[in-house]
Amino acid sequence: EAEVAQSPRYKITEKSQAVAFWCDPISGHATLYWYRQILGQGPELLVQFQDESVVDDSQLPKDRFSAERLKGVDSTLKIQPAELGDSAMYLCASSRWRTDTQYFGPGTRLTVL
Amino acid sequence: AQRVTQPEKLLSVFKGAPVELKCNYSYSGSPELFWYVQYSRQRLQLLLRHISRESIKGFTADLNKGETSFHLKKPFAQEEDSAMYYCALNVGVEGAQKLVFGQGTRLTINP
């Protein structure tokens, strides 16, 4: 059964460093989502792609976060520079189309020291 | 404001007892609601959505627009129901999914 893949699973970095997370959605899924989940809270949408285009990044802190999906397949989320408050689980999800069920990856747990 | 509230962070019941996980929402549009579940060491996954009106793993949820609630219920809890449960509200336009999640309820079923 196809699944969303994410790497790395864990990342420890120092504040002010740059970090990057990678997501490979289920094959054929046109819509890709990045969420941030702070400990004790539910996931919060950061950015949504439809193919290679950003359709919603209203919650993305654009001064330090960036996301791309250049060929409309896999995606990278970057933080530069990382801050202590960025420590969280970063989840990727994909769906066939914008109205369909979202399938989540295992997440990348980021710790900023 | 668009908001989902799950008032219980933790809920513990005995096996065979009824379960109700509470979810309230605040939304000015026509609500579309979901329950997601995350079992131990597994990924977050969709449990059910209100428009499907289906029962999954014995769970049901009814949308009550008057009380702005979407509580999740199961008449007889099983140990395998122990998990983290998230209620989510779709605030996207034209059916597109933009989900706002509640903070989650950790359900523990005691033997």
Side-chain angles (χ1 to χ4, degrees):
Chain A
E1 184 176 316
E3 293 183 324
V4 176
Q6 290 187 247
S7 67
R9 295 293 306 277
Y10 303 91
K11 179 69 177 179
I12 300 174
T13 191
E14 293 184 344
K15 64 179 182 179
S16 80
Q17 296 298 303
V19 291
F21 314 128
W22 177 78
C23 172
D24 191 13
I26 294 172
S27 178
H29 281 198
T31 311
L32 186 146
Y33 309 81
W34 282 102
Y35 291 86
R36 175 174 60 186
Q37 185 174 19
I38 296 170
L39 190 64
Q41 298 182 21
E44 174 195 23
L45 180 67
L46 292 175
V47 62
Q48 178 184 351
F49 289 91
Q50 185 63 35
D51 298 311
E52 66 277 6
S53 301
V54 173
V55 296
D56 190 329
D57 62 357
S58 56
Q59 302 282 77
L60 189 71
K62 299 180 189 63
D63 57 334
R64 297 184 301 106
F65 286 65
S66 63
E68 61 183 16
R69 193 184 184 199
L70 294 176
K71 296 183 179 179
V73 182
D74 58 338
S75 176
T76 302
L77 178 70
K78 297 179 181 178
I79 308 175
Q80 183 172 18
E83 296 181 352
L84 296 177
D86 296 331
S87 294
M89 178 73 84
Y90 290 83
L91 296 168
C92 179
S94 71
S95 62
R96 284 184 304 169
W97 195 242
R98 293 174 66 187
T99 57
D100 289 336
T101 298
Q102 297 184 31
Y103 294 86
F104 283 81
T108 296
R109 181 169 296 283
L110 173 66
T111 302
V112 182
L113 303 175
Chain B
Q2 305 157 345
R3 187 169 59 245
V4 175
T5 303
Q6 294 179 249
E8 304 140 327
K9 276 199 158 183
L10 302 171
L11 183 62
S12 181
V13 302
F14 285 102
K15 177 182 174 181
V19 174
E20 181 178 67
L21 291 89
K22 291 183 168 49
C23 172
N24 289 91
Y25 66 90
S26 173
Y27 186 52
S28 58
S30 181
E32 182 183 3
L33 285 134
F34 305 78
W35 277 98
Y36 278 78
V37 62
Q38 187 166 24
Y39 301 102
S40 179
R41 289 184 291 278
Q42 293 189 27
R43 300 160 186 235
L44 190 62
Q45 59 185 288
L46 178 66
L47 179 62
L48 55 82
R49 54 198 303 176
H50 92 270
I51 60 172
S52 300
R53 292 188 163 272
E54 56 192 347
S55 173
I56 304 294
K57 299 185 179 183
F59 284 98
T60 60
D62 291 318
L63 177 61
N64 186 321
K65 292 185 179 181
E67 296 184 358
T68 60
S69 68
F70 188 57
H71 302 329
L72 183 67
K73 300 177 183 180
K74 185 170 183 176
F76 307 103
Q78 299 174 312
E79 289 186 63
E80 54 265 34
D81 296 330
S82 294
M84 195 75 187
Y85 291 81
Y86 295 94
C87 183
L89 168 70
N90 182 17
V91 300
V93 296
E94 298 176 347
Q97 283 203 10
K98 180 176 180 178
L99 299 181
V100 173
F101 284 85
Q103 67 175 8
T105 297
R106 182 171 298 281
L107 176 65
T108 301
I109 307 301
N110 299 305

